Amino acid sequence: MHAPQNVRPPAETGTKRFQAKRDAILAAAAEAINEQSAKGMTFADVARRVGLNTTSVTYYFKRKEDLAAACFDQTLTTLLAMLDEALQLPTPEQRVERFLAINMERLTRIRTGEETDFAILSDLRAMEEPLKAQLLAGWREVFRKTRSLFGTPQSRAHTDLNGARAHVLLENSFWLNVWLERYGIDQYPRVEARVMEVFRHGIAGPGQRWSPAPLDLTHGQSTSSRESFLLAATRLINELGYRGASVQRIASELNVTKGSFYHHLDAKDDLVIECYKRSFGTITDAQREADDQGGSHWQRLSSTLATLLDIQFSERGPLLRTTALSGLPVEVRQTMIDRSNRIARRFAGTMSDGIAEGSIRAIDPLVASQILMALQNAAFDMRKWASTMPSDRAVAFYASTLSFGLFDDRALAG
């Protein structure tokens, strides 16, 4: 990938000093984007982080949009280089294993301070044209290259399945950064091996099939105007990020005035918190409903997963993505991560009980629960993909990636 044309630095690019300063600005901007989102990042904050004045930053990047675009382009370029290295290996399993290893090596260097993190891509769709089109083209290239890790598909259905695999792999590589903080660096090799174990063989125990029982989370309740409001807001925040989904835009989506927005909530932060509460409540309801239905713990887990994926793919969804976290105040963000971790621990408990009864493979439940969180959390982005096939087939394809592993083709026979 190349930097978007109107983000190119001046002619002085060739000098080492210029490039070093530009790289420092990009690193500081990426850090600011990850903390505050691209819309929340400011020239003043970036300048402060690198010990420059604001005018010095504008010498390298005329507009804030240009700086954000350069950060996103750097992320895409890094991902493409990682994928190119993984693609040198002969089999899908070896390529995925190498891609995961490269990610873990990168995260280790970030943790030890040898490297700075790249900018997360949650605000990509909130960028202005023509930068948005260029960056989204880069993202599609990353997706296609990730899909190619799994080899040449033999049919359209195989292409669809490889698309699900690519998405799950990418989303888990991004989500690693959030939950790895709870492990010491010396534990990273073990975590890497446990993640790969789930990727390789999945979660379901020997002889288990994909036959989930749909859960009824509505119990005949009608959708309130507040629920409709939170649903529309969730969709926009998922698509545009926290900062990109302005109050005006949300109000316009619902065809109401900004005054009506503030009738529902006092501030935009309150809106995101309420959207998270709604989403987390839905996941918890599904977990409880599955436990009430009984059956093996694999049956409970698969029914929960199928119900949540169906919600993500349908009009009655979606659940709020964790990408909205980067726009929230630090203390609120941590509260939401803690709530997410409680839900993950409940998944881990179900898996532990399933391992004891034999319906779930002997995996690391804490690691596998975070991989599951990434799966259901990110399914929103696959709605267009899911709309090209019957809903139960889309759910089965997408869920098979972790139920039976990234290299198991049994979903194609369903």
Side-chain angles (χ1 to χ4, degrees):
M1 260 201 79
H2 301 290
Q5 197 166 358
N6 51 355
V7 187
R8 289 190 193 280
E12 195 188 340
T13 301
T15 70
K16 287 183 180 178
R17 187 175 167 213
F18 178 95
Q19 194 60 45
K21 200 161 280 189
R22 185 177 187 273
D23 289 345
I25 291 169
L26 284 172
E31 187 178 58
I33 287 170
N34 293 346
E35 289 176 12
Q36 304 155 14
S37 81
K39 294 286 183 183
M41 180 255 296
T42 65
F43 270 160
D45 182 34
V46 172
R48 179 186 58 77
R49 290 172 191 256
V50 289
L52 296 171
N53 58 43
T54 305
T55 307
S56 297
V57 176
T58 59
Y59 173 71
Y60 294 83
F61 300 95
K62 298 303 179 192
R63 301 182 308 141
K64 191 176 81 165
E65 280 278 310
D66 297 337
L67 175 54
C71 287
F72 291 145
D73 183 76
Q74 189 176 61
T75 299
L76 295 167
T77 301
T78 303
L79 288 169
L80 288 170
M82 292 161 64
L83 288 162
D84 282 338
E85 182 178 334
L87 280 164
Q88 299 302 309
L89 293 167
T91 69
E93 194 172 316
Q94 288 172 319
R95 292 170 198 151
V96 169
E97 191 169 26
R98 184 63 196 131
F99 182 67
L100 175 61
I102 297 168
N103 263 295
M104 294 296 290
E105 289 160 9
R106 181 181 68 86
L107 292 170
T108 300
R109 291 192 299 272
I110 290 167
R111 185 85 172 260
T112 56
E114 299 169 57
E115 189 176 313
T116 56
D117 201 0
F118 55 45
I120 57 175
L121 301 170
S122 56
D123 280 9
L124 219 56
R125 290 184 179 88
M127 295 292 287
E128 299 171 359
E129 296 291 4
L131 295 176
K132 177 181 173 180
Q134 294 170 29
L135 292 166
L136 286 177
W139 169 247
R140 285 190 291 272
E141 187 182 349
V142 167
F143 183 83
R144 282 193 297 269
K145 196 159 277 195
T146 307
R147 191 173 59 191
S148 72
L149 292 176
F150 298 96
T152 305
Q154 305 304 309
S155 64
R156 169 59 197 270
H158 202 179
T159 301
D160 287 337
L161 182 56
N162 283 352
R165 290 164 169 165
H167 188 252
V168 169
L169 178 60
L170 281 170
E171 287 298 331
N172 268 288
S173 68
F174 299 148
W175 186 239
L176 271 171
N177 206 17
V178 176
W179 61 269
L180 261 182
E181 290 182 359
R182 287 187 280 154
Y183 292 85
I185 294 177
D186 63 318
Q187 286 286 291
Y188 279 19
R190 180 189 169 279
V191 171
E192 181 182 332
R194 297 298 176 266
V195 171
M196 191 60 208
E197 179 69 12
V198 175
F199 285 169
R200 188 178 282 118
H201 298 300
I203 292 169
Q208 300 300 311
R209 296 171 57 250
W210 178 255
S211 54
L215 307 172
D216 178 17
L217 304 185
T218 61
H219 301 291
Q221 298 171 359
S222 60
T223 303
S224 66
S225 60
R226 182 181 176 81
E227 175 76 4
S228 298
F229 184 88
L230 293 176
L231 192 57
T234 297
R235 283 197 193 105
L236 274 176
I237 294 167
N238 279 352
E239 288 172 3
L240 303 174
Y242 170 71
R243 302 273 183 180
S246 64
V247 171
Q248 182 62 59
R249 199 156 190 169
I250 294 166
S252 298
E253 176 84 1
L254 284 165
N255 201 24
V256 298
T257 63
K258 285 176 75 173
S260 297
F261 173 95
Y262 292 113
H263 169 72
H264 285 280
L265 297 146
D266 294 329
K268 192 175 165 188
D269 284 354
D270 296 332
L271 168 67
V272 181
I273 292 166
E274 288 301 312
C275 287
Y276 268 121
K277 284 181 178 176
R278 172 191 164 276
S279 297
F280 289 149
T282 299
I283 299 170
T284 303
D285 286 348
Q287 291 172 320
R288 286 179 184 148
E289 187 77 18
D291 282 340
D292 289 344
Q293 277 196 2
S296 74
H297 288 85
W298 164 245
Q299 182 69 45
R300 299 179 194 194
L301 188 67
S302 58
S303 295
T304 303
L305 193 56
T307 300
L308 294 174
L309 291 178
D310 186 56
I311 289 171
Q312 289 287 61
F313 292 153
S314 72
E315 285 303 310
R316 61 196 171 100
L319 306 174
L320 190 64
R321 292 202 57 181
T322 45
T323 47
L325 287 168
S326 61
L328 286 169
V330 174
E331 65 280 1
V332 177
R333 182 164 68 235
Q334 190 56 52
T335 299
M336 296 304 139
I337 290 174
D338 290 345
R339 180 82 188 270
S340 171
N341 285 333
R342 284 201 297 276
I343 291 171
R345 280 197 294 275
R346 183 159 184 158
F347 278 133
T350 298
M351 285 188 270
S352 294
D353 291 342
I355 291 166
E357 73 180 5
S359 67
I360 287 175
R361 291 186 64 258
I363 52 176
D364 185 320
L366 290 173
V367 168
S369 67
Q370 292 292 351
I371 299 173
L372 268 188
M373 289 298 285
L375 173 94
Q376 63 85 21
N377 169 55
F380 172 81
D381 280 346
M382 295 295 275
R383 286 171 308 148
K384 189 174 179 182
W385 169 89
S387 70
T388 64
M389 63 191 92
S391 61
D392 59 342
R393 186 173 177 81
V395 169
F397 270 29
Y398 196 75
S400 77
T401 59
L402 294 186
S403 298
F404 307 114
L406 291 173
F407 315 104
D408 188 299
D409 287 343
R410 77 184 71 180
L412 294 171

